[in-house]
């Protein structure tokens, strides 16, 4: 192969002997080495002396770059001793002993050949990045090694020190650590100004760095869109501004990785964090953001979300500035916020759409992933959602993979896109279906929101045409189908995402309702006009927005929607509580989109009753009216329940709503609910035979010494008796209710009916309180009786003294 002494003097070179001996002895090992130590390019060369090595990289760009670097060290072209294979591109030969592949491609190979015939060692690079394909690959390799290939050697590499769990997964594998040779790095924090976008802040940092410092600049930005905007902002800078991301052509990627005659500013996504080395970098500018896969199961939206980087990623990025000489790092956030960054990036398996993972697991023979050793097991809920999607696509039946599912998996696409390619090819021709699927798989190819317009631009020649045509040819070759049939981007899109078929809510709005139930808005200037129907390819939901946002779509119509999504077509009778009342109708709908409806004249009684109950649960007891008598009965029952408990029922709002089925009678709509006799409704709840003692326990009225029967007030915490002072002369003991358990509080009134005293102890009131009341009111009401001794005076209901 090559003598170790001839390899570049990178930090890992001194450890190559230990690495090969450890892997030979243990069969598994973990190598912890920061970026720039040579682990990706030197270690495979050393391991290849013991047989064929397959290196799994998380990204296509990193796979090609690693193969090119190793081939250059050997003085050979790529494809001889060192080759690579990524989706749509492969350079290998019969002499290839080191093959660099993407993690997803190696998963496919493992599915086709679980023994990995002819492979002696697998090197899993950059495990710390926790990509979904990489986590799955690790689980499948461990399973294969436990059964079919116990001799398969595994070396997992990580750029961070979180190696404990990884070593545990590998059965207590030995850990080898290699430290980086680094130079001092000066940290500077440059927070965005008020209202300044993150790419504007990054461009400001570039200008400051270029004017003050020496060396090439590496700028980390979250995505290709931000890279384009920063490139435009730096148009006048005295340096070569070069983009670096996975959507570029190989030539453009190589340009960013190759030193040039002028000073360079390389604008990169996360691809340059660990797997790639950009030479000449002395200055790193970190925007502090990255793009990660996210799925919103409730709204049916998935895609890439922009999140803050973790502290581990920020440290990795900063380390790039000190690889060759002392360097500088500009962080585009306030220094005090750095301590609030998450420690490590969140594993993709916890946040991403798991439909593709579910298909791979089903192909492996373990649909729920049990029995595999996971770094983090797939969450049960999202995995179940993925299996439901696969069942709807025909990829699973009774939880097991079908022949169609196996065919879909072999395409190496997301199952939705695989379905669109297979079925679209049969309907429209392989070429036409492949043209659209290529864009759906890489929406960066689309130049606008209008899918039809983007497709025409690619056909006529655009900066992305070459890449698109290459992918189109590759996809078309994977499927069978007639050539040259009708082109229909909306149909292909709908085959991939039937739940994203959308109809405009009204003629005056840009808001559409998708079949999955989510509302999305067509942005101004989309070029799509205002069609009634859309086939939405890509949609997201900006933070704080009321609706989702359409990012890529094609014009459609009802006929296409029905043809593309027959499984979503339902004709049903609906009896439901809608907008405050019972609505009964016969509906034909596509998912959540109502196509046609008409009133249902005689809806089933049980359905009406269920709708009324639903309305009560939604709107509460405001739908019914409590008369004074009903309210009084409710208050008396409430006191009984609070005092005695069972069998007396609770009558608070929640309890009444929970028992509504027993008291709503024949109510069929809002109007009949408002007419319910709630006194009778409450009496339905009375327990038998205890109900016979209702009036005895909580009487409506109490007879006072004057002979009047005065109504008790049960509305407060304790029952109250409002009565004029003259009517209770001589009464010494306060009344009680509920067999003497609850005393009644007397609200003693003046002749005018105004309260003058509140007491629960009449004897005490006559002894002390009455004297003050008498002195205050005798002059105000001179015609009324105010005896000095109320205990001896006869009680009277008459207000004015009668002459004898």
């Amino acid at each position: 192969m090559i003598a170790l002494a001839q390899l570049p003097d990178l930090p890992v070179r001194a450890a190559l002997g230990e690495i090969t001996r450890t892997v030979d002895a243990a069969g598994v090992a973990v190598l912890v080495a920061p970026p720039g130590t040579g682990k990706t390019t030197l270690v495979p060369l050393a391991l290849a002396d013991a047989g064929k090595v397959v290196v799994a990289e998380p990204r296509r760009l990193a796979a090609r770059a690693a193969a090119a670097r190793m081939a250059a060290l050997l003085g050979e072209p790529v494809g001889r001793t060192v080759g690579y294979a990524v989706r749509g591109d492969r350079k290998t030969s019969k002499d290839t002993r080191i093959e660099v592949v993407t993690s997803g491609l190696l998963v496919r190979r493992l599915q086709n050949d679980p023994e990995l015939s002819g492979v002696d060692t697998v090197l899993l690079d950059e495990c710390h990045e926790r990509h979904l394909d990489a986590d799955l690959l690790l689980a499948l390799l461990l399973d294969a090694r436990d059964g079919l290939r116990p001799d398969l050697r595994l070396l997992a590499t990580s750029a961070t020190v979180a190696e404990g769990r990884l070593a545990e997964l590998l059965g207590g594998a030995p850990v080898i650590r290699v430290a980086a040779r680094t130079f001092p790095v000066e940290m500077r924090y440059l927070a965005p100004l008020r209202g300044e976008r993150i790419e504007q802040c990054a461009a400001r940092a570039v200008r400051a760095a270029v004017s003050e410092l020496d060396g090439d600049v590496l700028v980390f930005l979250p995505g290709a869109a931000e890279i384009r905007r920063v490139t435009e902002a730096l148009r006048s800078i005295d340096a070569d501004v070069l983009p670096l991301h996975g959507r570029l052509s190989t030539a453009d990627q190589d340009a960013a990785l190759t030193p040039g005659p002028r000073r360079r500013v390389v604008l990169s996504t996360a691809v340059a964090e660990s797997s790639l080395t950009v030479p000449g970098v002395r200055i790193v500018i970190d925007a502090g953001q990255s793009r990660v896969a996210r799925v919103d199961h409730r709204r049916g939206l998935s895609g890439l979300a922009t999140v803050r980087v973790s502290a581990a990623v920020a440290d990795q990025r900063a380390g790039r500035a000190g690889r060759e000489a002392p360097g500088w790092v500009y962080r585009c956030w306030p220094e005090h916020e750095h301590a609030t960054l998450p420690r490590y990036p969140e594993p993709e398996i916890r946040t991403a759409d798991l439909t593709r993972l579910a298909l791979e697991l089903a192909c492996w023979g373990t649909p729920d992933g049990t029995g595999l050793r996971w770094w983090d097991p797939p969450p049960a809920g999202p995995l179940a959602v993925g299996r439901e999607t696969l069942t709807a696509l025909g990829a699973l039946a009774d939880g097991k993979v079908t022949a169609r599912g196996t065919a879909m998996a072999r395409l190496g696409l997301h199952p939705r896109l695989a379905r669109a390619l297979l079925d679209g090819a049969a309907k429209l021709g392989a070429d036409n279906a492949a043209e659209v699927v290529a864009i759906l798989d890489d929406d960066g190819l689309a130049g606008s929101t209008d899918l039809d317009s983007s497709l025409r631009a690619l056909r006529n020649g655009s900066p992305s045409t070459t890449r698109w045509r290459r992918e189109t040819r590759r996809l078309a070759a994977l499927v069978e189908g007639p050539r040259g049939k009708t082109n229909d981007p909306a149909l292909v899109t709908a085959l991939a995402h039937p739940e994203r078929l959308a109809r405009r809510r009204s003629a005056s709005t840009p808001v559409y309702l998708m079949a999955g139930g989510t509302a999305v808005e067509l942005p101004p200037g989309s070029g799509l006009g205002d069609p009634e129907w859309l086939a939405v390819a890509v949609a997201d939901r900006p933070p704080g927005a009321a609706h989702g946002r359409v990012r890529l779509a094609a014009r459609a119509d009802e006929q296409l929607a029905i043809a593309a999504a027959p499984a979503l077509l339902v004709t049903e009778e609906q009896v439901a509580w809608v907008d405050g009342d019972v609505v009964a109708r016969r509906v034909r709908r596509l998912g959540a989109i109502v196509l046609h409806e008409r009133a249902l004249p005689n809806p089933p009684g049980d359905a009406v009753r269920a709708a009324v109950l639903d309305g009560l649960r939604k709107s509460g007891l405001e739908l019914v009216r409590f008369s004074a008598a009903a309210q009084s009965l409710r208050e008396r029952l409430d006191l009984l329940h609070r005092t005695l408990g069972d069998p007396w029922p609770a009558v608070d709002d929640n309890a009444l709503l929970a028992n509504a089925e027993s008291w709503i009678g024949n109510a069929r709509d809002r109007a009949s609910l408002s007419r319910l006799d709630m006194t009778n409704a409450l009496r339905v709840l009375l327990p038998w035979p205890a109900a016979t003692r209702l009036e005895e326990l909580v009487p409506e009225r109490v007879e006072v010494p004057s002979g009047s029967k005065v109504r008790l007030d049960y509305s407060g915490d304790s029952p109250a008796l409002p009565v004029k002072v003259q009517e209770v002369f001589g009464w010494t003991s306060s009344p009680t209710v509920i067999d003497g358990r609850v005393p009644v509080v007397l609200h003693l009134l003046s002749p005018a009916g105004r309260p003058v005293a509140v007491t629960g102890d009449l004897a005490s009131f006559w002894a002390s309180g009455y004297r003050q009341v008498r002195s205050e009111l005798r002059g105000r009401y001179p015609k009324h009786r105010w005896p000095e001794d109320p205990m001896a005076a006869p009680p009277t209901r008459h207000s004015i003294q009668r002459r004898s």
Side-chain angles (χ1 to χ4, degrees):
M1 180 64 66
I2 187 173
L4 297 186
Q6 295 178 290
L7 294 173
D9 185 21
L10 293 171
V12 81
R13 190 178 76 174
L16 290 177
E18 180 187 0
I19 293 168
T20 55
R21 288 192 301 272
T22 302
V23 174
D24 287 342
V28 292
V30 175
L31 172 61
V32 180
T37 52
K39 66 179 183 301
T40 300
T41 52
L42 301 193
V43 174
L45 292 172
L47 293 173
D49 286 335
K52 183 171 180 179
V53 177
V54 173
V55 180
E57 290 288 344
R59 300 180 180 89
R60 282 177 279 180
L61 193 160
R64 283 193 291 258
R69 176 61 178 157
M70 284 188 278
L73 292 175
L74 297 176
E76 298 177 356
V78 175
R80 189 180 297 175
T81 304
V82 181
Y84 69 83
V86 299
R87 196 179 74 183
D89 189 13
R90 181 174 185 175
K91 285 187 179 180
T92 59
S93 68
K94 61 181 179 60
D95 298 321
T96 299
R97 299 184 64 186
I98 300 172
E99 186 179 9
V100 191
V101 302
T102 55
S103 302
L105 190 144
L106 190 52
V107 167
R108 286 279 82 234
R109 279 195 194 170
L110 197 58
Q111 293 278 20
N112 295 328
D113 177 15
E115 294 186 7
L116 281 184
S117 304
V119 177
D120 297 286
T121 306
V122 175
L123 189 154
L124 301 170
D125 202 17
E126 313 298 357
C127 289
H128 63 278
E129 293 191 7
R130 303 301 311 279
H131 290 279
L132 183 58
D133 282 343
D135 275 13
L136 172 62
L137 176 60
L138 175 60
L140 297 187
L141 282 171
L142 291 174
D143 197 44
R145 193 172 185 276
D146 289 342
L148 297 172
R149 283 294 308 275
D151 62 318
L152 183 66
R153 309 189 316 166
L154 294 181
L155 175 63
T157 78
S158 173
T160 69
V161 295
E163 80 285 348
R165 174 63 177 151
L166 188 53
E168 179 186 343
L169 276 175
L170 294 175
V175 177
I176 304 162
R177 293 180 177 83
V178 175
R181 289 197 296 267
T182 59
F183 293 87
V185 172
E186 179 183 324
M187 205 69 64
R188 300 180 179 184
Y189 289 87
L190 189 72
L193 303 174
R194 183 182 296 274
E196 186 177 47
R197 295 171 61 98
I198 193 62
E199 52 265 47
Q200 294 171 322
C201 179
R204 182 161 55 90
V206 170
R207 293 192 194 94
V210 168
S211 65
E212 300 172 11
L213 307 171
D214 297 323
D216 288 351
V217 183
L218 176 59
V219 184
F220 285 102
L221 294 161
E226 288 81 4
I227 287 176
R228 287 195 297 271
R229 288 193 284 269
V230 174
T231 300
E232 185 65 26
L234 297 177
R235 185 183 292 261
S236 61
I237 200 169
D238 185 21
D240 291 334
V241 179
L242 303 168
L244 180 59
H245 56 81
R247 292 175 176 174
L248 294 174
S249 67
T250 302
D252 288 338
Q253 292 172 356
D254 291 344
L257 298 174
T258 306
R262 279 165 41 89
R263 189 176 194 183
R264 302 184 311 142
V265 176
V266 178
L267 308 179
S268 176
T269 59
V271 296
E273 285 173 3
S274 53
S275 303
L276 298 174
T277 296
V278 182
V281 171
R282 299 277 304 282
I283 305 162
V284 166
I285 294 171
D286 187 357
Q289 297 179 348
S290 63
R291 291 267 156 73
V292 297
R294 286 285 190 270
V295 61
D296 184 340
H297 292 291
R298 186 167 66 87
R299 296 185 177 88
L301 301 178
S302 61
L304 297 176
T306 303
V307 300
R308 299 169 74 200
V309 298
S310 66
V313 168
D315 290 343
Q316 274 184 258
R317 293 179 174 185
R320 290 297 190 184
R323 291 289 178 256
E324 300 178 5
W328 298 265
V329 175
Y330 289 78
R331 285 175 166 166
C332 297
W333 60 87
E335 184 173 4
H336 68 270
E337 285 188 4
H338 188 75
T340 67
L341 295 179
R343 188 176 178 188
Y344 295 109
E346 190 163 18
E348 200 174 38
I349 200 169
R350 295 181 188 168
T351 61
D353 174 13
L354 299 187
T355 306
R356 187 170 181 174
L357 176 74
L359 181 56
E360 295 292 357
L361 291 176
C363 290
W364 193 254
T366 173
D368 57 1
T370 56
L372 298 179
R373 281 185 278 161
W374 294 96
W375 195 321
D376 285 290
L383 189 61
V385 171
R387 289 199 297 271
E388 290 173 6
T389 300
L390 292 172
T391 301
L393 296 176
L396 294 185
D398 298 324
K400 297 180 180 179
V401 67
T402 63
R404 176 178 170 86
T406 301
M408 291 167 64
R410 285 174 180 158
L411 295 177
L413 295 165
H414 188 286
R416 289 184 177 278
L417 301 184
R419 185 266 178 123
L421 183 60
L422 289 170
D423 294 353
K427 295 174 181 292
L428 307 173
D431 293 335
N432 290 329
E435 284 185 341
V436 180
V437 171
I439 299 175
L440 300 183
D441 193 33
D442 181 1
D443 58 68
L445 292 167
S448 69
T449 306
D450 185 350
L451 180 55
D452 293 87
S453 175
S454 297
L455 192 56
R456 288 193 298 272
L458 288 166
R459 287 179 181 144
N460 294 332
S462 76
S464 301
T465 294
T466 301
R467 179 161 55 102
W468 170 71
R469 283 180 175 157
R470 183 173 62 246
E471 181 65 3
T472 295
R473 287 192 297 270
R474 187 188 75 83
L475 292 174
L478 296 175
V479 293
E480 296 179 357
R483 297 287 187 250
K485 291 187 72 174
T486 304
N487 186 285
D488 194 342
L491 178 59
V492 179
T493 300
L495 289 172
H497 301 287
E499 77 289 349
R500 294 185 189 172
L501 283 159
R503 193 174 74 175
R504 194 175 54 200
R505 280 186 162 171
S506 67
S508 60
T509 177
V511 178
Y512 288 72
L513 177 65
M514 297 198 296
T518 298
V520 292
E521 188 168 348
L522 196 59
S526 67
L528 284 162
D530 58 349
E532 183 179 1
W533 284 85
L534 288 173
V536 178
V538 182
D540 59 18
R541 187 169 184 269
H547 309 296
R549 173 182 58 191
V550 176
R551 290 181 45 219
L552 184 64
R555 284 176 288 272
D557 56 39
E558 184 174 319
Q559 183 179 353
L560 180 146
I562 292 172
L568 297 180
L569 197 61
V570 176
T571 300
E572 63 182 359
E573 292 183 350
Q574 289 184 350
V575 182
W577 188 271
V578 179
D579 296 331
D581 209 341
V582 174
V583 175
R585 57 190 178 181
R586 179 173 281 107
V587 174
R588 191 176 190 226
R589 59 182 176 83
L590 188 79
I593 301 171
V594 175
L595 303 177
H596 309 287
E597 66 175 289
R598 63 183 178 85
L600 197 62
N602 296 303
D606 56 348
V608 172
R609 189 175 184 83
V612 170
L613 290 170
D614 183 52
L616 276 169
R617 283 190 292 269
K618 289 177 178 177
S619 302
L621 293 179
E622 65 184 42
L623 296 175
V624 298
R625 297 177 182 173
F626 285 89
S627 64
Q631 184 62 30
S632 173
L633 177 57
R634 186 182 183 189
E635 291 164 355
R636 292 157 66 198
L637 290 175
D638 178 63
L639 180 63
L640 282 168
H641 178 73
R642 285 189 284 120
T643 305
L644 300 179
D646 290 336
W648 297 100
V651 289
D652 58 272
D653 284 12
N654 290 336
L656 288 178
L657 290 172
N659 292 310
E661 192 166 3
S662 64
W663 55 261
I664 61 170
N666 295 321
R668 297 181 60 83
D669 52 25
R670 185 186 188 107
S672 54
L673 275 175
S674 69
R675 294 193 297 269
L676 274 179
D677 184 341
M678 290 305 295
T679 302
N680 288 338
L682 290 169
R683 289 190 178 278
V684 168
L685 303 177
L686 294 179
W688 189 262
T692 58
R693 297 194 64 210
L694 175 68
E695 291 299 326
E696 176 187 346
L697 294 173
V698 281
E700 273 194 274
R701 295 175 180 273
V702 169
E703 185 172 351
V704 296
S706 67
S708 297
K709 292 184 177 180
V710 181
R711 185 183 299 275
L712 283 164
D713 180 1
Y714 290 92
S715 62
D717 291 336
S718 299
L721 182 68
V723 60
K724 293 179 181 178
V725 174
Q726 285 80 5
E727 295 204 54
V728 291
F729 285 157
W731 209 10
T732 57
S733 59
S734 299
T736 62
V737 295
I738 311 183
D739 290 336
R741 288 182 173 85
V742 180
V744 174
V745 177
L746 272 75
H747 290 215
L748 300 175
L749 309 178
S750 70
R754 297 186 181 92
V756 296
V758 176
T759 181
D761 183 356
L762 269 177
S764 175
F765 172 75
W766 297 133
S768 57
Y770 173 73
R771 186 175 298 115
Q772 182 177 351
V773 169
R774 178 175 180 269
S775 65
E776 290 177 359
L777 299 184
R778 187 173 56 172
R780 191 180 305 171
Y781 301 101
K783 295 183 179 181
H784 295 75
R785 298 177 61 196
W786 300 102
E788 289 189 14
D789 183 5
M791 299 299 297
T796 179
R797 72 183 66 174
H798 301 294
S799 299
I800 300 177
Q801 299 185 56
R802 296 185 178 184
R803 298 182 182 275
S804 56

